[in-house]
Amino acid sequence: MRHDLRDRRRLPPGAGQAAYDEALRQVLDVLGGDGDAGPGVPYVPEVPGRGAGAAMTGRALALQTGLDVDLQPAGWRLTGTSGSPGLDQRRARSLLMQDLDALEERVQGYAGPFKVQVAGPWTLAATTERPRGDKVLADHGARRELAQALAEGVAEHVAEVRRRVPGCTRVVVQVDEPALVAVQQARVPTASGWGQHRSVDRPELAEVLGWVLAAATGAGAEPWVHACAADVPWALVRGAGARGLLVDADLLGASDLDQLAEAHEAGVAVGLGVAATRPTPTSAPAEKDLAARASRWLDTLGLAPDARFGLVPACGLAGVPAAVAPRLLQALHDAARRVDEA
């Protein structure tokens, strides 16, 4: 989850690492004590307030090494395949390695599952510029090349995390696709702002997403897909190879319920986002309220709680105040236990 301890504000110089260390401590304290015996799955937090290299797009671009990128006023931009990354790309990679160093120091003695997250190929294509302007999404060849580079980077990242967390019993790769529905429905604006990029058909959506999910699977990880949007094509996501679906409970319609029930019956994990993170919460929800809401959804879906069902934030924790984030995680953790024991 994205875990911004400073309400999305850009952190002052020197504060970034302290913010990351605190986020990591919170995650491990709340979720890292039970291992496989409980519902907690600790993860590598992201703190976007440290700058573009620590935010969703910059971190995903730091994972891949096949394409060069730089940072422009409009955002990240591809620059070629020279193998000579620019200063901003090198900084993003350095920050990632620094975060993994801190993680390695803190997880000594930990045994259990662990999660990492990465922007999915369609969200990356919708948020990265081509060398000559506009989104990578507009270029059929470029968006496929970017997805393949991302897939290679994900596999390498999984191997790196396994090395640094020796007690890890399994790795979950959360592929974040907040732009997937907009890509499918031609709702990604062009650079001019006067139009939208053409929609991508379902076969290509599934194929390209599948490359990244297959890379995670091939590296021995479980690929889960998170999309906090309405009308997500969950059947397509599942068909692309997702072994877990992370959803926003507030955005589920009748069609979503059918797709999720089918997926769960087929052995796919479902993470139900019952704790709202937008607008910015000023306090953590009550454990009993989260548990009651989850139980109602299980009844609606016709499912019983099991190891393939969990409770998660509706969207990332970016923007959730530092005082609230750990309490929100703890409430979800305790609510999941309450549902399991009901």
Side-chain angles (χ1 to χ4, degrees), residues 117-132:
Q117 58 277 333
V118 61
W122 291 112
T123 295
L124 202 57
T127 55
T128 306
E129 298 280 333
R130 297 183 296 176
R132 289 175 290 181

Side-chain angles (χ1 to χ4, degrees), residues 162-173:
R162 283 194 179 279
R163 183 181 70 81
R164 291 175 179 265
V165 188
C168 179
T169 57
R170 80 180 198 275
V171 176
V172 172
V173 176

Side-chain angles (χ1 to χ4, degrees), residues 241-331:
R243 293 172 59 187
L245 307 176
L246 303 173
V247 307
D248 183 338
D250 285 331
L251 300 177
L252 296 179
S255 174
D256 299 303
L257 298 180
D258 291 339
Q259 294 178 76
L260 293 176
E262 290 176 6
H264 190 267
E265 290 171 0
V268 175
V270 173
L272 188 63
V274 292
T277 56
R278 294 178 298 184
T280 300
T282 57
S283 62
E287 166 199 337
K288 61 181 180 60
D289 294 337
L290 295 178
R293 189 177 186 204
S295 295
R296 287 195 298 272
W297 276 110
L298 283 169
D299 289 342
T300 302
L301 291 167
L303 303 177
D306 59 24
R308 291 176 291 109
F309 176 80
L311 303 183
V312 297
C315 206
L317 296 179
V320 176
V324 176
R327 294 203 296 269
L328 186 149
L329 287 175
Q330 187 68 58

Side-chain angles (χ1 to χ4, degrees), residues 59-69 89 93 146 149-150 153:
R59 179 131 291 188
L61 291 172
L63 287 181
Q64 62 82 32
T65 57
L67 300 174
D68 299 333
V69 297
Q89 189 175 12
R93 290 176 182 168
L146 181 58
L150 176 64

